[in-house]
Amino acid sequence: HVQLVESGGGSVQAGGSLRLSCASSGSIYGTLCMGWVRQAPGKEREGVASTRGVITWNADSVKGRFLISRDSVENTVYLQMNSLKPEDTAMYYCAANPGLSYSQCRDLRRADFEIWGQGTQVTVS
C-alpha cells in the first residue's frame, strides 16, 4: 500500500516560487501516472500537472509557470511553481494511479487518481 507525503508548501508573495515535494513509500516507476491536484476553498478540485514516463502535462492555468518532475531513485515527485499568483492559493495534493494510460494520465480535468497524499497548503498574497 503506497503512501504519499507532500511537503514544501507555505506562504509566498505574488511572483515568488515554491517547490513541492511528494515522497512515496513505494516505487514510483516510470510508467506510473502521478500528478498534482489542487483545491481552493469553495472551488472544485483542479488537476494542475501530471506525468507518465518522460511525458508531462500541465493545465492551461499553470502552463509556463509550473513544472512537474520525478526522481525514480528517490521515489519523489516534485512540482516547481514559479511566478505564483494569488489565484494559485489552494491545498495541493500529490496523487497517483498505476492503472492510467498516457491519454488518461493527460486528462487533468478528470484527475482520475486512486492514491492521495494528505495535502500541503500554498498561500500566495
Side-chain angles (χ1 to χ4, degrees), residues 24-25 29 39 41 54 62-63 79 82 84 87 89 97 120:
S24 171
S25 63
Y29 50 92
Q39 187 162 26
V54 297
V62 304
K63 200 161 291 183
L79 184 67
N82 301 322
L84 283 162
E87 50 263 44
T89 296
N97 188 335
T120 185

Side-chain angles (χ1 to χ4, degrees), residues 87-122:
E87 50 263 44
D88 295 318
T89 296
M91 184 71 80
Y92 283 72
Y93 298 91
C94 176
N97 188 335
L100 296 185
S101 64
Y102 278 99
S103 60
Q104 291 169 328
C105 189
R106 181 180 61 183
D107 190 352
L108 288 167
R109 286 176 298 178
R110 291 194 63 180
D112 191 14
F113 297 106
E114 292 185 343
I115 305 167
W116 295 82
Q118 83 289 350
T120 185
Q121 178 68 37
V122 172

Side-chain angles (χ1 to χ4, degrees), residues 6-71:
E6 303 95 334
S7 61
S11 297
V12 65
Q13 291 188 336
S17 298
L18 283 174
R19 188 176 80 155
L20 306 183
S21 299
C22 171
S24 171
S25 63
S27 172
I28 55 165
Y29 50 92
T31 55
L32 174 65
C33 175
M34 298 201 69
W36 289 91
V37 179
R38 68 186 181 186
Q39 187 162 26
K43 293 188 177 181
E44 291 190 356
R45 186 181 67 181
E46 177 188 21
V48 296
S50 59
T51 179
R52 189 178 189 269
V54 297
I55 302 176
T56 63
W57 300 276
N58 283 359
D60 288 342
S61 59
V62 304
K63 200 161 291 183
R65 301 188 298 121
F66 290 12
L67 178 66
I68 186 172
S69 61
R70 77 167 78 203
D71 184 333

